[in-house]
Amino acid sequence: MEGSLFYWILWLFWVYITFFMEKKNRYRTKLAAGILVVIILSNVHFIVTSFEFYAGGLFLLLLSYIILSKKKLGALLYAFVCSMILTISYVTFNLFVIYDPIWVFFEKEWMMGICFSCLAIFLQTTLKDRLLIVVSGTMQGEILYAYYLSKFEFSYPIGTIAYLDVSALTIMLLVSWSFFENAGAIFQNHFHFFEKGKQKSS
């Protein structure tokens, strides 16, 4: 059901961040607050010229721009290129769905989520940078796709729950991948911790 992925995934993240993440983590409060803001804004929409925007998607885009702007010039330019690759991929995927829908052989949201996750993993090495290019790239893709459809007098609302479903799913896949990438180091640290505990007790 449309919207269910977005709400379920974001609430799961919020619960984990609020109740299970280390309280010393400096990003904990900001992440929890950001998730709540996105949920609250998800159904808020307004019209600018002939385009309908949903505030949740725009909030994510603005947030990604603010964080990206703090990068050094070289890293910023590379992030911009990566973001544009995601933008073009997003528009291309949606156009394929219109012109040749037969190749969408399972849920569109999952296909998009897997596709954009793979691109982000290939283009960037850290979870933070992957999330930034996915959020900025796909939301830019939404705007470009809406602009393209407007040329044919089709209206397309930007940043709807359907878009947030894809974004939330992609974020979940990237976080899961990051966990498995770092699982070895996590288990190794826990193993050393328990070994030290045993040595002290003996």
Side-chain angles (χ1 to χ4, degrees), residues 8-41:
W8 273 107
I9 291 170
L10 259 67
W11 277 121
L12 284 172
F13 278 139
W14 186 84
V15 168
Y16 171 77
I17 291 165
T18 305
F19 298 107
F20 299 102
M21 185 177 277
E22 290 183 10
K23 292 184 178 179
K24 293 179 182 179
N25 191 311
R26 58 179 180 151
Y27 297 112
R28 180 172 169 268
T29 303
K30 292 177 181 178
L31 285 170
I35 288 171
L36 288 178
V37 171
V38 174
I39 292 172
I40 291 167
L41 294 177

Coordinates of all heavy atoms in Angstrom, one line a residue, residues 8-41:
W8 N 6.5 3.0 7.9 CA 7.1 1.9 8.6 C 8.6 2.0 8.8 O 9.1 1.9 9.9 CB 6.7 0.6 7.9 CG 5.4 0.0 8.4 CD1 4.3 -0.1 7.6 CD2 5.1 -0.6 9.6 NE1 3.3 -0.7 8.3 CE2 3.8 -1.0 9.6 CE3 5.8 -0.8 10.8 CZ2 3.1 -1.6 10.6 CZ3 5.2 -1.4 11.9 CH2 3.8 -1.8 11.8
I9 N 9.3 2.3 7.7 CA 10.7 2.4 7.7 C 11.2 3.6 8.6 O 12.1 3.4 9.4 CB 11.3 2.5 6.3 CG1 11.1 1.2 5.5 CG2 12.8 2.9 6.3 CD1 11.4 1.3 4.1
L10 N 10.6 4.8 8.4 CA 11.0 5.9 9.2 C 10.7 5.7 10.7 O 11.5 6.2 11.5 CB 10.3 7.2 8.7 CG 11.3 8.0 7.8 CD1 11.7 7.3 6.5 CD2 10.8 9.4 7.5
W11 N 9.5 5.1 11.0 CA 9.2 4.9 12.4 C 10.2 3.9 13.0 O 10.6 4.0 14.2 CB 7.8 4.4 12.6 CG 6.8 5.5 12.6 CD1 5.7 5.7 11.8 CD2 6.7 6.7 13.6 NE1 5.0 6.9 12.1 CE2 5.6 7.5 13.2 CE3 7.5 7.0 14.6 CZ2 5.3 8.6 13.9 CZ3 7.2 8.2 15.3 CH2 6.1 9.0 14.9
L12 N 10.6 2.9 12.3 CA 11.6 1.9 12.8 C 12.9 2.6 13.1 O 13.5 2.4 14.1 CB 11.7 0.8 11.8 CG 10.6 -0.3 11.7 CD1 10.9 -1.2 10.5 CD2 10.6 -1.1 13.0
F13 N 13.3 3.5 12.1 CA 14.6 4.2 12.3 C 14.4 5.1 13.6 O 15.4 5.2 14.4 CB 14.9 5.1 11.1 CG 15.5 4.3 10.0 CD1 15.2 4.6 8.7 CD2 16.5 3.4 10.2 CE1 15.8 3.9 7.6 CE2 17.2 2.7 9.2 CZ 16.8 3.0 7.9
W14 N 13.3 5.8 13.7 CA 13.1 6.7 14.9 C 13.2 5.9 16.2 O 13.8 6.4 17.1 CB 11.8 7.4 14.7 CG 11.6 8.5 15.8 CD1 12.1 9.8 15.7 CD2 10.9 8.3 17.0 NE1 11.7 10.4 16.9 CE2 11.0 9.6 17.7 CE3 10.2 7.3 17.6 CZ2 10.5 9.8 19.0 CZ3 9.7 7.5 18.9 CH2 9.8 8.7 19.5
V15 N 12.5 4.8 16.2 CA 12.5 4.0 17.5 C 13.9 3.5 17.8 O 14.4 3.6 18.9 CB 11.6 2.8 17.3 CG1 11.8 1.8 18.4 CG2 10.1 3.2 17.3
Y16 N 14.7 3.1 16.8 CA 16.1 2.6 17.0 C 16.9 3.8 17.5 O 17.7 3.7 18.5 CB 16.7 2.1 15.7 CG 18.1 1.8 15.8 CD1 18.6 0.7 16.5 CD2 19.1 2.7 15.3 CE1 20.0 0.5 16.7 CE2 20.4 2.5 15.5 CZ 20.9 1.4 16.1 OH 22.2 1.2 16.3
I17 N 16.8 5.0 16.8 CA 17.6 6.1 17.2 C 17.3 6.6 18.6 O 18.2 7.0 19.4 CB 17.5 7.3 16.1 CG1 18.1 6.8 14.8 CG2 18.1 8.6 16.6 CD1 17.7 7.7 13.6
T18 N 16.0 6.7 18.9 CA 15.6 7.2 20.2 C 15.9 6.3 21.4 O 16.3 6.8 22.4 CB 14.1 7.5 20.1 OG1 13.8 8.3 19.0 CG2 13.6 8.2 21.4
F19 N 15.7 5.0 21.2 CA 15.8 4.1 22.3 C 17.0 3.2 22.3 O 17.4 2.7 23.4 CB 14.5 3.2 22.4 CG 13.3 4.0 22.6 CD1 12.4 4.1 21.5 CD2 13.0 4.6 23.8 CE1 11.2 4.9 21.7 CE2 11.8 5.3 24.0 CZ 10.9 5.5 22.9
F20 N 17.7 3.0 21.2 CA 18.8 2.0 21.2 C 20.1 2.6 20.8 O 21.2 2.1 21.2 CB 18.4 0.9 20.2 CG 17.2 0.1 20.6 CD1 16.0 0.3 19.9 CD2 17.3 -0.8 21.6 CE1 14.9 -0.4 20.3 CE2 16.1 -1.5 21.9 CZ 14.9 -1.3 21.3
M21 N 20.1 3.8 20.1 CA 21.4 4.4 19.7 C 22.1 5.0 21.0 O 21.4 5.4 21.9 CB 21.2 5.5 18.7 CG 22.5 6.1 18.2 SD 22.2 7.4 16.9 CE 22.0 6.3 15.5
E22 N 23.4 4.9 21.0 CA 24.1 5.5 22.1 C 23.8 6.9 22.4 O 23.8 7.7 21.4 CB 25.6 5.3 21.9 CG 26.1 3.9 22.0 CD 27.6 3.8 21.8 OE1 28.3 4.9 21.8 OE2 28.1 2.7 21.6
K23 N 23.5 7.3 23.6 CA 23.1 8.7 23.9 C 24.3 9.7 23.7 O 24.0 10.8 23.6 CB 22.6 8.7 25.4 CG 21.3 8.0 25.6 CD 20.8 8.2 27.0 CE 19.4 7.5 27.1 NZ 18.9 7.6 28.5
K24 N 25.5 9.1 23.7 CA 26.6 10.0 23.5 C 26.8 10.4 22.0 O 27.6 11.3 21.7 CB 27.9 9.3 24.0 CG 28.0 9.1 25.5 CD 29.2 8.4 25.9 CE 29.3 8.2 27.4 NZ 30.5 7.5 27.8
N25 N 26.1 9.7 21.1 CA 26.2 10.0 19.7 C 25.7 11.4 19.4 O 24.6 11.7 19.7 CB 25.4 8.9 18.9 CG 25.7 9.0 17.4 OD1 25.7 10.1 16.8 ND2 26.0 7.8 16.8
R26 N 26.6 12.2 18.8 CA 26.2 13.6 18.6 C 25.1 13.8 17.5 O 24.5 14.9 17.5 CB 27.4 14.5 18.2 CG 28.2 14.0 17.0 CD 29.3 14.9 16.7 NE 30.1 14.4 15.5 CZ 30.7 15.3 14.7 NH1 30.8 16.5 15.0 NH2 31.4 14.8 13.7
Y27 N 24.9 12.8 16.7 CA 23.9 12.9 15.6 C 22.5 12.4 16.1 O 21.5 12.6 15.4 CB 24.3 12.1 14.4 CG 25.6 12.6 13.8 CD1 26.7 11.9 13.8 CD2 25.6 13.9 13.1 CE1 27.9 12.3 13.2 CE2 26.8 14.3 12.5 CZ 27.9 13.6 12.6 OH 29.1 14.0 12.0
R28 N 22.5 11.8 17.3 CA 21.2 11.1 17.7 C 20.0 12.0 17.7 O 19.0 11.7 17.1 CB 21.5 10.5 19.1 CG 20.3 9.8 19.7 CD 20.7 9.1 21.0 NE 19.6 8.6 21.7 CZ 18.9 9.3 22.6 NH1 19.3 10.5 23.0 NH2 17.9 8.8 23.2
T29 N 20.1 13.2 18.4 CA 19.0 14.1 18.5 C 18.6 14.7 17.2 O 17.4 14.8 16.8 CB 19.3 15.2 19.5 OG1 19.7 14.7 20.8 CG2 18.1 16.1 19.7
K30 N 19.6 15.1 16.4 CA 19.3 15.7 15.1 C 18.6 14.7 14.1 O 17.7 15.0 13.4 CB 20.6 16.1 14.4 CG 21.3 17.3 15.1 CD 22.6 17.7 14.5 CE 23.2 18.9 15.2 NZ 24.6 19.2 14.6
L31 N 19.1 13.4 14.2 CA 18.5 12.4 13.3 C 17.0 12.1 13.7 O 16.1 12.1 12.8 CB 19.3 11.1 13.4 CG 20.6 11.1 12.6 CD1 21.4 9.8 13.0 CD2 20.4 11.1 11.1
A32 N 16.8 12.0 15.0 CA 15.4 11.7 15.5 C 14.5 12.9 15.1 O 13.3 12.7 14.7 CB 15.4 11.5 17.0
A33 N 15.0 14.1 15.3 CA 14.2 15.3 15.0 C 13.9 15.4 13.5 O 12.8 15.7 13.1 CB 14.9 16.6 15.5
G34 N 14.9 15.1 12.7 CA 14.8 15.2 11.3 C 13.8 14.2 10.8 O 12.9 14.6 9.9
I35 N 13.7 13.0 11.3 CA 12.8 12.0 10.9 C 11.3 12.5 11.2 O 10.4 12.3 10.4 CB 13.1 10.6 11.6 CG1 14.3 10.0 11.0 CG2 11.9 9.7 11.4 CD1 14.8 8.8 11.7
L36 N 11.2 13.0 12.4 CA 9.8 13.5 12.8 C 9.4 14.6 11.9 O 8.2 14.7 11.5 CB 9.8 14.0 14.2 CG 9.9 12.9 15.3 CD1 9.9 13.5 16.7 CD2 8.7 11.9 15.2
V37 N 10.3 15.5 11.5 CA 9.9 16.6 10.6 C 9.5 16.1 9.3 O 8.5 16.6 8.7 CB 11.1 17.6 10.5 CG1 10.8 18.7 9.4 CG2 11.4 18.3 11.8
V38 N 10.2 15.2 8.7 CA 9.9 14.6 7.4 C 8.5 13.9 7.4 O 7.7 14.1 6.5 CB 10.9 13.6 6.9 CG1 10.5 12.9 5.7 CG2 12.3 14.2 6.7
I39 N 8.2 13.2 8.5 CA 6.9 12.6 8.7 C 5.8 13.6 8.7 O 4.8 13.5 8.1 CB 6.9 11.6 9.9 CG1 7.8 10.4 9.7 CG2 5.5 11.2 10.2 CD1 8.0 9.6 10.9
I40 N 6.0 14.7 9.5 CA 5.0 15.7 9.7 C 4.8 16.4 8.4 O 3.6 16.7 8.0 CB 5.5 16.7 10.8 CG1 5.4 16.1 12.2 CG2 4.6 18.0 10.8 CD1 6.1 16.8 13.2
L41 N 5.8 16.7 7.6 CA 5.7 17.4 6.4 C 5.3 16.6 5.1 O 5.0 17.1 4.1 CB 7.1 18.1 6.0 CG 7.6 19.2 7.0 CD1 8.9 19.7 6.5 CD2 6.6 20.4 7.0

